[in-house]
Amino acid sequence: MIVETSQDTIDLSFDSKATNILVKVSGGLDSAIVLYMLCEYASNERPDLNIIVMTANDWRKPYQVAFAEKIINWHRSKFPLVNILEHETSQLEHGYDYIKGQQDLKDKVMEKYDIHILCNGINALPPQGIVFRNDRNVVQDGPVDDRYGREDQWDLGKKRFSMLRNLDKKGVAELYTKFNLHDSLKNITRSCESHRAEKTNNFTTHCGHCWWCNERKWGFGTL
């Protein structure tokens, strides 16, 4: 399965021996479209695929599993013949490092299944020069990791597949347009990273002002 966009080409033609695919779903736009393309690929070309979804619930982000469940259930309804296995989750204790917590969950799932490919929704930052400001007109900092200049979508010896690596949020929006998902899948995702329950109706809505909300509005034109 080849998916063409104006920013990059995504090739989901996996090796025929690769049947167990692990995908990290956070509840946001990026990992949701990754899961969607995996399900399209499995439905149309690879009915032998087993898709395992993992979500680590951070103590500062106590909403990720809930939104990931919505996304998984939507896909199970949309693709009833695709093998989406049990949702693998964990709840991080207060103060525990989020990156380490995700690694711990991944290691646990890797022990449970013979995982052949690891997929994630890591995408490119907006072009340099794009600046987001909060509701107090203060310039905001986004993700701490470097998301520029990584053309190869594969690493870890062709085991980890970052299929959105070269797409910024406008490129992700293009995928939602290609698959006609703006009025369906998009509306059950949540990109907000605000830690303030009172600003987000107890983490059920977007705050509209954090860096991630601004990136979503920049890419999609709306929350």
Side-chain angles (χ1 to χ4, degrees):
M1 175 176 160
I2 307 295
V3 181
E4 297 278 358
T5 78
S6 63
Q7 296 185 1
D8 200 14
T9 298
I10 302 169
D11 184 356
L12 285 90
S13 303
F14 298 157
D15 186 294
S16 61
K17 296 179 182 178
T19 56
N20 293 340
I21 313 299
L22 176 61
V23 56
K24 175 183 174 292
V25 173
S26 65
L29 288 162
D30 310 317
S31 56
I33 196 65
V34 166
L35 180 58
Y36 181 86
M37 288 189 287
L38 288 172
C39 287
E40 279 278 351
Y41 177 47
S43 179
N44 295 326
E45 300 181 31
R46 291 291 305 275
D48 60 318
L49 288 186
N50 298 308
I51 299 175
I52 302 99
V53 179
M54 60 165 270
T55 310
N57 224 29
D58 187 22
W59 55 278
R60 288 167 298 191
K61 308 174 191 175
Y63 49 81
Q64 290 187 320
V65 166
F67 277 86
E69 285 284 356
K70 291 180 183 180
I71 290 166
I72 293 168
N73 289 337
W74 185 92
H75 281 86
R76 284 181 171 144
S77 177
K78 175 76 173 178
F79 301 98
L81 299 182
V82 172
N83 298 319
I84 303 176
L85 304 188
E86 179 184 359
H87 189 195
E88 300 289 338
T89 67
S90 66
Q91 176 61 57
L92 277 59
E93 297 295 331
H94 186 87
Y96 200 80
D97 181 73
Y98 181 52
I99 302 300
K100 180 66 167 60
Q102 292 183 88
Q103 182 66 45
D104 291 345
L105 178 57
K106 188 194 78 170
D107 291 345
K108 176 184 174 182
V109 176
M110 295 283 283
E111 287 183 6
K112 183 175 179 179
Y113 298 98
D114 180 19
I115 299 296
H116 303 129
I117 295 175
L118 309 166
C119 293
N120 60 63
I122 294 173
N123 66 301
L125 293 171
Q128 294 181 2
I130 298 294
V131 174
F132 300 136
R133 298 177 181 271
N134 63 18
D135 54 342
R136 298 183 302 278
N137 202 34
V138 176
V139 174
Q140 299 169 302
D141 293 325
V144 297
D145 51 321
D146 179 11
R147 297 187 183 180
Y148 293 115
R150 297 290 301 278
E151 294 182 359
D152 190 358
Q153 300 164 352
W154 291 89
D155 53 19
L156 292 182
K158 292 288 187 179
K159 187 157 189 172
R160 185 164 63 196
F161 187 32
S162 302
M163 64 181 78
L164 307 182
R165 186 187 295 280
N166 300 311
L167 276 65
D168 60 31
K169 201 64 87 197
K170 288 186 182 294
V172 174
E174 189 178 330
L175 290 173
Y176 276 76
T177 298
K178 179 181 286 289
F179 292 109
N180 194 28
L181 299 172
H182 282 273
D183 295 324
S184 53
L185 180 58
K186 171 185 174 288
N187 291 336
I188 60 171
T189 65
R190 183 175 185 271
S191 302
C192 184
E193 293 276 341
S194 173
H195 301 155
R196 301 178 64 180
E198 71 278 9
K199 293 286 188 180
T200 58
N201 294 313
N202 198 29
F203 305 111
T204 60
T205 61
H206 290 87
C207 75
H209 300 293
C210 69
W211 188 94
W212 289 268
C213 282
N214 282 324
E215 183 199 29
R216 183 178 176 118
K217 288 186 287 187
W218 171 80
F220 281 73
T222 180
L223 282 174

